[in-house]
Amino acid sequence: MRGAARTVAAVLCALALSLFLPATARADSAGGGDLHVAQTLGDRELTFVLRRVTGLPGPLHVDVLTHRGTPAGALRLGAVPAGVAADRAAGAPVGTVTSKASVRLGDEPGTYGTVLDIDRAGPWELVVEDGSRTARIPFVVPGQVTSPPERTVFAGFVAAGVLMLVTLFVAVRARRGSWVLLPASGVVAALATAVTAALLSASLPPPPEPGRDVDATQDNVTDPYAVVRPVSAEHSRPPASLETAAYTARPGERGTLRLDVNDGSTGLPADDLVVHDGALMHLVVIGPAGRLWHLHPVRTAPGTYEVQLRLPASGHYAVSAEFARRGGGLQHVRSATGLTVTGRPAPPESSGKGPDRDAVGADTAPESELAAHGTGTRTIDGVPVRLTASTLTAGSAATLTARVGDTATLQPWLGMVGHMIVVGPLSEDDATGPTRLGQAAEQAPVWAHAHSMGGDMSGDMSAHTGGDTGTGHGSGAAHGEEDHAGRGTADPPDTEPGGHVEGPGPMSGLMPLNGDSPADETVAAYGPDVSFVYTFSRPGHYRVWIQAMRDSTVLTIPYVLNVSSGGSGGGEE
């Protein structure tokens, strides 16, 4: 009996030790965060926040964030199941609106919400209608899936528990102590299986994530392990091409720009764009005198995106788009043709709120007054902005810091406090002229983008020299914001020799609120300094646009910077 007691004690110790082993991760590790998607819908620049679905069937909370100048009105929302399934009955009613709701937007910027019902896991579309246009936003509701190693761990522990009871029973009732070794051996084997599965599960790669790495279907969302085996190889897809349809609107007239994204290997519509930095597509349009529009076209059909804008003047406009393909990574595409606007200006449309500032792409200020030459202080929409910069020399990292206002009241926009778009190098005439920048930007060697992020909201970050190193994508274009900028006037340049950076105060910083989701743009607690680190690859004149959001308004601050070839002070004008 003493031998049996020792055996039972050893088994109990092994079971206790196994409880301290790390638990295996669930298959839907990346499916729990809120989804933030910016959309330029008609005259409105909106951010849709799809909150995580915590149970099925269950509610999908949708918040619509508006910005200053957004026209009031109603949106109709619907939830539509998408995707295919091996069992057609399991996928029904695919393509049918299963839940409807409406959102009434007010005149003041803020958050307006509603709730839709979700009855199953799988790929879905959020359909948004404003009365004249329909946007279709894809999203995935992940299933709660237990991985095969995790099932093995659970089965091993259950078997060990059952066999332990058998061992205790045999130890008490059996006349011969050796009989207890049989069920006790089973306990040890079950625990060994569970512990081995727990240890190995940490090194086994998860299956490709439906909706992020591979196309989402009803089957692979419900159980990705049953459809796709765990693989470690990179999932890649060929580049996509961007085609722009004819733009026929006259200067000052609202027009629709249609964009078709096609797969580079098949020519078929590429309907696999995923949300990247808060949008399915980031569109940049640069006008002939340097006005920049930063828009987010809505998906109207597979591979088809549309955006409405009002281009103010005749001339050529450069067009570029940035997006990420599912399993294919980030891609920047410049339109080979851009847009050329001709004809007599259309009569101005009155919105009843002053000089047509509410329309996306509206332009009321002379564009030649928008860009400041060199660093210094200027005013944009009544907000003082001071730009300082370290020595601007080709090939050397430069730190540019824009102090937007004088209080820490900046809001995150597309997950970042600040964006900087760089185009160049350009000739001085093209960079400063009133009519040639669109054509020159289309041919410019460098289109780059840097982010300002990191740090904390209110602490003194004087030990840092700048924000997060800009993610200059080589010729990767910018993404992300609507253009509300340039409606103030530029103060005298107040240029400092060498463009010395004063010690930064509280820096912009972002931390995800729940580990998965982007920062909430309703929190006005960042800044006022927005810093970037960027290396200009070659000397010359560059057009630079810095974007930050304050008081629910996205400010775009344009500059002309002269980068020297080295050995000449700051290279500023």
Side-chain angles (χ1 to χ4, degrees), residues 183-378:
S185 299
V187 173
V188 174
L191 286 177
T193 301
V195 171
T196 302
L199 293 174
L200 292 178
S201 64
S203 60
L204 293 177
E209 182 184 347
R212 174 60 60 178
D213 298 321
V214 296
D215 293 334
T217 66
Q218 295 286 349
D219 297 327
N220 64 16
V221 172
T222 304
D223 188 0
Y225 291 98
V227 179
V228 183
R229 292 180 299 172
V231 294
S232 58
E234 179 183 359
H235 309 282
S236 61
R237 289 188 172 176
S241 62
L242 179 71
E243 299 179 10
T244 57
Y247 183 81
T248 58
R250 294 180 294 169
E253 182 180 52
R254 182 185 304 162
T256 298
L257 175 61
R258 173 178 167 177
L259 305 157
D260 293 316
V261 182
N262 298 320
D263 183 85
S265 63
T266 65
L268 297 174
D271 194 32
D272 55 4
L273 272 59
V274 296
V275 174
H276 163 70
D277 286 348
L280 289 169
M281 177 183 291
H282 301 276
L283 185 73
V284 171
V285 180
I286 298 177
R291 172 81 62 160
L292 180 137
W293 290 264
H294 216 156
L295 309 171
H296 308 100
V298 298
R299 174 178 171 269
T300 58
T304 301
Y305 294 79
E306 293 183 359
V307 64
Q308 286 188 328
L309 68 165
R310 183 180 289 114
L311 301 177
S314 299
H316 192 77
Y317 293 75
V319 177
S320 73
E322 185 179 276
F323 49 79
R325 296 191 69 183
R326 182 175 301 125
L330 181 65
Q331 183 176 349
H332 163 246
V333 182
R334 286 195 230 176
S335 170
T337 58
L339 298 176
T340 301
V341 179
T342 59
R344 300 182 59 183
E349 298 180 13
S350 175
S351 63
K353 300 180 182 180
D356 202 16
R357 326 177 24 135
D358 296 331
V360 173
D363 183 5
T364 59
E367 295 189 40
S368 59
E369 300 178 5
L370 296 180
H373 293 194
T375 57
T377 303
R378 59 178 316 192

Side-chain angles (χ1 to χ4, degrees), residues 16-191:
L17 289 174
S18 67
L19 297 178
F20 293 95
L21 293 173
T24 55
R26 301 190 68 84
D28 57 334
S29 59
D34 300 337
L35 181 65
H36 293 229
V37 186
Q39 296 277 267
T40 305
L41 187 61
D43 287 346
R44 300 182 175 100
E45 181 71 15
L46 306 171
T47 299
F48 291 86
V49 183
L50 283 64
R51 303 297 180 185
R52 66 181 67 190
V53 178
T54 57
L56 292 172
L60 169 67
H61 295 269
V62 180
D63 292 336
V64 183
L65 279 59
T66 65
H67 305 94
R68 192 161 302 282
T70 300
L75 300 178
R76 295 188 297 274
L77 277 63
V80 178
V84 295
D87 182 2
R88 294 186 179 181
V94 173
T96 303
V97 178
T98 59
S99 179
K100 297 181 180 180
S102 62
V103 177
R104 180 161 293 277
L105 307 179
D107 291 319
E108 293 299 320
T111 302
Y112 303 86
T114 189
V115 179
L116 296 168
D117 295 324
I118 300 296
D119 58 5
R120 63 173 179 264
W124 289 76
E125 287 184 351
L126 176 67
V127 180
V128 183
E129 299 179 359
D130 66 350
S132 62
R133 197 161 302 278
T134 300
R136 310 183 75 90
I137 303 174
F139 66 99
V140 175
V141 177
Q144 297 296 321
V145 182
T146 303
S147 67
E150 193 173 14
R151 290 196 293 267
T152 303
V153 172
F154 292 157
F157 285 151
V158 171
V162 173
L163 290 173
M164 182 173 293
L165 295 177
V166 175
T167 302
L168 292 173
F169 179 80
V170 173
V172 173
R173 300 296 299 270
R175 295 181 180 179
R176 300 178 60 180
S178 59
W179 289 4
V180 79
L181 295 178
L182 182 61
S185 299
V187 173
V188 174
L191 286 177

Side-chain angles (χ1 to χ4, degrees), residues 449-479:
H449 181 198
H451 292 155
S452 178
M453 53 193 297
D456 63 293
M457 290 189 290
S458 58
D460 184 2
M461 302 296 293
S462 58
H464 294 262
T465 57
D468 184 50
T469 301
T471 54
H473 305 303
S475 64
H479 59 271

